[in-house]
Amino acid sequence: MTADYKIKVQNVTKEFDLFKTRSDQLKAFFSISNRPIPEFWALKGISLEVEPGETLGLIGVNGSGKSTLSNIISGVIPQTTGVVDVRGDTSIVAINSGLRGQLTGMENIRLKALMMGMTNHEIDSMLDDIIAFADIGDFVYQPVKSYSSGMKSRLGFAIAVHINPDILIIDEALSVGDDTFYQKCVEKIQQFKEAGKTIIFVSHSLKQIEMMCDRVAWIQYGDLKQIGSTAEVVGEYRKFIKWFKALSKKDKKKYQNEAKKKQKAFDIEAYEKQVVAERQQENAEDHHVAREVHKDFYGSVISETMSWGNRILTTVVGVAVVFLMLVNVSGHSLTSVVQHPSHIWHPTTTLKGPGVTKSVK
Ligand SMILES: Nc1ncnc2c1ncn2[C@@H]1O[C@H](COP(=O)(O)OP(=O)(O)OP(=O)(O)O)[C@@H](O)[C@H]1O
């Protein structure tokens, strides 16, 4: 691993809970269910680095984890374990991410640019360029949910390249546009490369990968199968695809099911022990390896379930809110209820009507 990286991903895993119902999801969030939740490990420990100014391609069959990894790098979703160090602003262009469906194209442009820290003046000065590049006509004033996938991709790409990020992540976004738009995007990506920007390029088109990428990472059902020069990795991947296509339908299914089974059975504790053993082999003198590995695994990760502290705080706030609501409904003052708690069950009733002024207890 080098010190001069733009992106570092180390021992990154991603686990998705396969909840059957919404209520199971809520119960798991508050940690109040003992029912085991089926796990699926979309990433099983990925480590790689991207150098400044490099274009790294991500390839792999459907469901191998390319989008999961690019979403983690761009900060759209958190990793389950591991270190993700990104030195610079990222902007992701993906078919189904980044744009808010309820907002118009114009509002999406403003929102994205404001999130990147641009001022309204800066946004105004680049608005015409974005609209011209996206070339979606009056649709720019319509909610994005009414766009075709090609239009979403055009707008997403136009915004992403004009806000001029340090790192551009393109996830299959060129596959849905027409040829003219594709050419425009390729030129823009070349300009980005010439400007020394770092790019992560996800695509099923090996021709596009060969044209754009300096190096390629092949992700295979959550593992990093190979990383290296474009020619080398694409060559090996082509051999695999040829082998896979030659399998019978039954054998293809068997191969995929076995891979998915391993992703469900992945043992994060065993993986942590394996990383400890590897690092101990590299440096037998270091007696704190286990602690360091644990810190690397969980030190920069936000928990997706509630901690005990938060659970206690939420319960206390919840009880206080219910209590205040009851006090309010009872019609007594807070002081009176605190002094005589039984008042809460004996509300004051104000009779309304002509000539009635009395309050009945
Ligand atoms: N929110 C989620 N909940 C459960 N499983 C998910 C979720 N998101 C992704 N997955 C699973 O994680 C695995 C990796 O998905 P991902 O979209 O990263 O693959 P991909 O390589 O980008 O696939 P494709 O080439 O089809 O776009 C898949 O098996 C997918 O079903």
Side-chain angles (χ1 to χ4, degrees):
M1 300 232 162
T2 57
D4 182 28
Y5 58 80
K6 193 77 181 165
I7 301 166
K8 179 171 93 168
V9 167
Q10 191 186 323
N11 305 124
V12 165
T13 66
K14 180 67 190 176
E15 186 261 329
F16 289 113
D17 289 330
L18 302 180
F19 297 109
K20 289 210 173 75
T21 61
R22 231 0 188 183
S23 85
D24 280 353
Q25 192 171 0
L26 265 175
K27 281 182 200 160
F29 179 73
F30 289 104
S31 311
I32 52 174
S33 169
N34 290 328
R35 200 186 305 171
I37 304 145
E39 294 178 344
F40 182 80
W41 291 84
L43 299 177
K44 300 192 288 168
I46 303 273
S47 299
L48 56 85
E49 281 179 5
V50 189
E51 284 170 27
E54 185 179 37
T55 300
L56 179 78
L58 291 187
I59 58 173
V61 295
N62 287 128
S64 54
K66 306 178 295 292
S67 298
T68 305
L69 181 60
S70 32
N71 282 333
I72 289 173
I73 293 173
S74 57
V76 175
I77 55 170
Q79 69 274 31
T80 302
T81 69
V83 176
V84 178
D85 189 11
V86 179
R87 295 173 171 170
D89 298 325
T90 57
S91 193
I92 183 163
V93 201
I95 299 173
N96 284 320
S97 97
L99 299 174
R100 305 266 164 108
Q102 305 295 331
L103 303 183
T104 65
M106 201 66 125
E107 287 163 344
N108 267 287
I109 298 173
R110 276 198 186 276
L111 181 67
K112 206 82 201 253
L114 285 171
M115 281 164 68
M116 289 291 284
M118 296 177 102
T119 63
N120 271 320
H121 181 70
E122 285 167 331
I123 300 170
D124 289 341
S125 65
M126 65 169 194
L127 215 48
D128 288 346
D129 288 342
I130 297 182
I131 294 169
F133 192 94
D135 197 15
I136 52 172
D138 283 345
F139 268 93
V140 78
Y141 303 105
Q142 299 302 315
V144 161
K145 64 181 177 194
S146 66
Y147 290 16
S148 69
S149 55
M151 286 161 72
K152 278 187 210 160
S153 173
R154 295 169 91 99
L155 181 64
F157 196 91
I159 299 174
V161 292
H162 283 86
I163 53 181
N164 207 16
D166 297 317
I167 302 159
L168 183 63
I169 300 171
I170 305 161
D171 184 356
E172 278 294 345
L174 304 192
S175 55
V176 286
D178 57 30
D179 274 356
T180 326
F181 185 70
Y182 170 71
Q183 274 314 323
K184 244 168 46 169
C185 292
V186 170
E187 278 164 31
K188 207 73 190 167
I189 294 170
Q190 293 297 356
Q191 284 172 18
F192 256 72
K193 279 170 74 89
E194 280 157 26
K197 304 267 181 178
T198 307
I199 302 172
I200 291 190
F201 187 75
V202 183
S203 180
H204 283 288
S205 160
L206 296 179
K207 287 218 172 79
Q208 287 179 13
I209 291 277
E210 283 173 320
M211 187 173 64
M212 313 268 191
C213 303
D214 306 311
R215 281 196 311 146
V216 172
W218 170 8
I219 314 286
Q220 178 87 327
Y221 296 113
D223 288 316
L224 177 66
K225 174 107 176 163
Q226 196 182 3
I227 183 164
S229 75
T230 303
E232 187 191 348
V233 180
V234 170
E236 287 301 311
Y237 184 66
R238 278 207 171 98
K239 277 189 217 159
F240 164 77
I241 295 293
K242 197 171 164 204
W243 170 82
F244 186 75
K245 279 188 177 162
L247 293 180
S248 68
K249 213 170 164 185
K250 195 171 141 223
D251 284 344
K252 275 184 193 150
K253 201 84 216 134
K254 194 171 157 221
Y255 182 87
Q256 286 166 330
N257 286 345
E258 271 169 18
K260 299 268 167 203
K261 213 163 125 191
K262 280 189 199 149
Q263 286 183 280
K264 284 182 186 163
F266 179 73
D267 181 345
I268 189 65
E269 284 168 20
Y271 174 58
E272 191 177 337
K273 281 186 189 147
Q274 179 199 321
V275 175
V276 171
E278 282 165 9
R279 287 205 208 163
Q280 259 161 355
Q281 254 186 357
E282 281 165 23
N283 187 0
E285 301 298 304
D286 189 348
H287 302 295
H288 305 292
V289 173
R291 204 190 316 148
E292 284 159 14
V293 169
H294 195 74
K295 193 165 160 247
D296 282 354
F297 266 50
Y298 299 100
S300 54
V301 171
I302 305 159
S303 172
E304 289 178 64
T305 54
M306 263 193 172
S307 65
W308 270 104
N310 278 344
R311 259 185 269 170
I312 291 166
L313 188 68
T314 310
T315 312
V316 170
V317 171
V319 169
V321 168
V322 171
F323 175 72
L324 288 174
M325 279 164 68
L326 285 174
V327 171
N328 191 26
V329 169
S330 76
H332 294 285
S333 70
L334 182 60
T335 333
S336 146
V337 173
V338 169
Q339 282 166 355
H340 309 283
S342 64
H343 278 183
I344 208 161
W345 308 119
H346 303 289
T348 63
T349 311
T350 305
L351 299 177
K352 285 184 182 153
V356 181
T357 52
K358 209 167 79 178
S359 178
V360 180
K361 287 194 181 174

